[in-house]
Amino acid sequence: MTILGRYEPWGRLGSGGMSEVWLARHATLGLPVVLKTLRPDVAARTTSAPELMRTTARLMGRVSAPQAVRVLDLGTDVVDRDEGVAVPCLVEEYVDGLDLAELDARRRDAVGRPMPLFVVADLVAQAAMGLHAAHQAG
C-alpha cells in the first residue's frame, strides 16, 4: 500500500476524532515521514475537508523555526476505489525522540527524582520560541 503514490506506511501512530497519524517512509528517498490523513468516514461526509488540509499546510509552511515541525507535502489519496472516497493527506517531517512525559518518567525511574527546574525552564522556553514563530507567521 502506498499513500499519494510515494509514501509507504509503516504503522499507525494514533488516531483522533477526525484524523489518523501514520509513520511512513518516502518510497524513493527512504526518509521517514509522518502522514496525517482524515479518517475516510470524515472525508466522505465533509466537503470542506480538502480545503481544511490545504489551509493547515499553508499555515504550517509559513512557520520557520527549529522548534516547529515542517510540512513536506500535501495531497489527496483515493482510499476506497469502489466508493471513490478521496482522503486529504498532510505529510510532515518525522522528529525522533521522547515526549516530555516519557522523558520525565524515565528520569524518575533512573534516579528517583523529577527533572531539574533549569531543564524544565529550558524546555518551556524552547516551546515558547516555537509558539512565537507561529504567532509571527500569522
Side-chain angles (χ1 to χ4, degrees), residues 3-134:
I3 295 180
L4 301 180
R6 59 193 165 275
Y7 300 100
E8 299 170 350
W10 283 340
R12 196 167 83 171
L13 296 174
S15 65
M18 293 185 63
S19 63
E20 294 179 332
V21 180
W22 302 80
L23 179 60
R25 77 174 189 96
H26 190 284
T28 305
L29 302 176
L31 299 172
V33 295
V34 171
L35 304 174
K36 290 186 178 177
T37 62
L38 284 184
R39 290 192 356 231
D41 60 313
V42 173
R45 70 173 187 261
T46 308
T47 58
S48 63
E51 184 56 37
L52 176 66
M53 284 292 225
R54 275 192 294 278
T55 301
T56 300
R58 277 191 223 111
L59 291 172
M60 287 180 68
R62 291 169 45 181
V63 179
S64 178
Q67 300 84 7
V69 173
R70 292 179 307 149
V71 65
L72 302 175
D73 202 355
L74 173 70
T76 53
D77 194 47
V78 178
V79 173
D80 187 341
R81 304 220 184 271
D82 296 332
E83 298 285 327
V85 177
V87 177
C89 179
L90 185 64
V91 183
E92 298 175 358
E93 72 177 317
Y94 170 72
V95 179
D96 192 19
L98 303 173
D99 66 27
L100 192 54
E102 188 174 350
L103 183 63
D104 184 55
R106 287 187 180 193
R107 177 176 167 85
R108 287 176 189 266
D109 288 346
V111 296
R113 307 187 121 226
M115 287 188 289
L117 184 57
F118 74 91
V119 173
V120 173
D122 181 58
L123 294 171
V124 169
Q126 289 180 49
M129 285 187 278
L131 287 172
H132 177 71

